[in-house]
Amino acid sequence: PYQRQGAHWLWFMNRLGLGACLADDMGLGKTIQVLSLLLVLKRRRTQPQPAVRESRASLLIVPASLIANWKAEIQKFAPSLSVFYAHPAETPNEELTKTGKDPARMLERTDLVITSYSMAIRLTWLKEVNWSLAILDEAQAIKNPGARQSRAVRELRCRHRIALSGTPIENRLSDLWSLFDFLCPGLLGGAREFAAFLKSRSQTDQNQFTPLRRLVRPYILRRLKTDKRIITDLPDKTEMTAFCPLTRRQAALYQQAVADLAERLESPEVEGIQRRGIILAFLTRFKQICNHPSQWLGDGVYAPAESGKFNRLRELCDEIASRQEKVLVFTQYREITDPLARHLAGVFGQAGLILHGGVPVGKRKELVDAFQRDGGPPFFVLSLKAGGTGLNLTAASHVIHFDRWWNPAVENQATDRAFRIGQKR
């Protein structure tokens, strides 16, 4: 019922021509609600003598890793949609070039064009088409208004704009301004005006941002999967912190790094932005040493006994393996995905799967399908950036964050690959 309500709301906003942010919690089916809207628009266009002549094609921009996911959902729920994939993972470059020379004619019978954020920058012809809908999936990708992909999507010509995001505010309230600069340009004023507003309201003791909430509320629809009125059959999520003592070698390297940092910061030449840069670099060094000495030293050895985290991971996964359950292991570092997978293969007695930014887009769906199968690999090691959004990995009943990201919202996104509709454990 809540998905039906969401599709109706999107249709209502579409009729009004108002930007809409569908901010349902991750895993509540934002995809199927958008597909419902696209099917309604298609049905209206095919009616004899439609009351309003509408432009046909809509544009959907997604992270590259989610193209295969959208393709599968369309084949399952909306096979009647005519879709063109403006991405080399799905369409040969010659055909992309041919379409770009005369997009109006080539897309005349197309209902939906799907591309990625990086291709939205490269395919300049996307700005020449008058789209019916422009839809951004994982819309937090445009949280930085100065980024090239944010500028590219703001230049699109369309009748209606939709943003899909389980985390419309990922880091700070300026994320909201960037999102609404796409959805409803001018609603929140200019960037400087908005920053001045935030500064003035931050000095207020109570109800600081009530005026802002009141202003944006009509344009945002958000439901939470922890709300029992929405979903009654989703099991509870249990979170625990697994503390890991450092090994002797890790402790020595860590102490040496602390001493090096203190020495660098005592230098009179180090100040301002340079000082911040040094601190950030050493924070990264500390995290790498805590993961495994070999990650910082770059020697490629990765002996499990030299890392407290590797030892603790084995303990956790021994129990998971004994129950014959599956686990996702997230790390922010691509270089440690292989050593982790080798370590876990010894724990589970069989190979698992790895997904990071270097895995070809076309292969990612194969990995997801393999993991979701009964009897499929028992563990999946993923880099947080490549595998932390959009994927449906409900075969796992455990999620382990091997190292911590700077932002809890990003970690929650990753955890929700498993904690979503379809999870029974």
Side-chain angles (χ1 to χ4, degrees), residues 122-369:
R122 292 161 56 187
L123 300 176
T124 54
W125 56 265
L126 295 175
K127 302 171 192 172
E128 300 169 13
V129 180
N130 288 312
W131 303 101
S132 171
L133 271 178
I135 308 159
L136 305 186
D137 191 15
E138 301 296 348
Q140 63 272 16
I142 64 163
K143 65 185 178 187
N144 179 0
R148 290 175 65 200
Q149 61 194 35
S150 302
R151 295 200 302 269
V153 299
R154 286 202 300 268
E155 292 169 9
L156 295 170
R157 296 189 299 198
C158 53
R159 202 190 70 78
H160 184 217
R161 299 181 175 198
I162 293 175
L164 308 177
S165 177
T167 50
I169 301 174
E170 195 172 65
N171 292 324
R172 53 189 70 87
L173 277 171
S174 57
D175 297 355
L176 191 69
W177 182 88
S178 187
L179 188 67
F180 270 81
D181 195 40
F182 165 75
L183 286 177
C184 307
L187 182 72
L188 301 183
R192 289 183 180 177
E193 292 173 274
F194 188 70
F197 166 78
L198 294 183
K199 188 174 181 180
S200 67
R201 299 301 299 184
S202 64
Q203 295 159 11
T204 308
D205 290 336
Q206 291 183 325
N207 302 322
Q208 292 174 304
F209 300 110
T210 300
L212 177 61
R213 188 182 297 113
R214 193 179 297 129
L215 182 61
V216 300
R217 182 178 287 160
Y219 306 91
I220 299 177
L221 180 62
R222 180 164 178 80
R223 280 79 61 89
L224 303 176
K225 59 175 172 274
T226 50
D227 185 346
K228 296 299 182 184
R229 293 169 298 177
I230 301 298
I231 303 181
T232 56
D233 59 349
L234 190 68
D236 291 332
K237 176 170 67 170
T238 305
E239 297 189 41
M240 59 175 276
T241 302
F243 292 99
C244 314
L246 297 177
T247 62
R248 183 170 294 181
R249 191 178 188 204
Q250 281 177 305
L253 286 169
Y254 198 101
Q255 189 59 48
Q256 182 185 336
V258 170
D260 290 347
L261 174 60
E263 185 180 338
R264 294 280 294 277
L265 294 180
E266 284 169 5
S267 170
E269 294 107 41
V270 175
E271 55 185 25
I273 193 70
Q274 189 180 5
R275 183 184 179 90
R276 290 184 176 189
I278 290 171
I279 292 171
L280 183 61
F282 270 84
L283 282 174
T284 300
R285 184 191 297 193
F286 294 140
K287 292 176 83 169
Q288 290 175 329
I289 291 170
C290 288
N291 277 356
H292 197 291
S294 292
Q295 188 181 356
W296 162 241
L297 298 171
D299 57 20
V301 178
Y302 286 99
E306 291 192 344
S307 165
K309 282 194 179 184
F310 270 61
N311 293 331
R312 191 74 176 93
L313 183 65
R314 171 180 281 279
E315 292 170 8
L316 293 169
C317 289
D318 273 337
E319 188 174 341
I320 294 169
S322 69
R323 297 180 190 170
Q324 294 187 312
E325 294 175 340
K326 296 189 181 188
V327 61
L328 308 180
V329 180
F330 284 100
T331 172
Q332 73 181 90
Y333 299 106
R334 172 177 166 176
E335 67 266 21
I336 206 171
T337 53
D338 280 322
L340 282 173
R342 290 196 301 271
H343 180 55
L344 290 173
V347 177
F348 285 92
Q350 66 182 101
L353 302 170
I354 300 174
L355 174 62
H356 52 62
V359 175
V361 173
K363 193 183 176 187
R364 297 182 186 193
K365 184 176 185 302
E366 294 176 27
L367 296 176
V368 171
D369 290 346

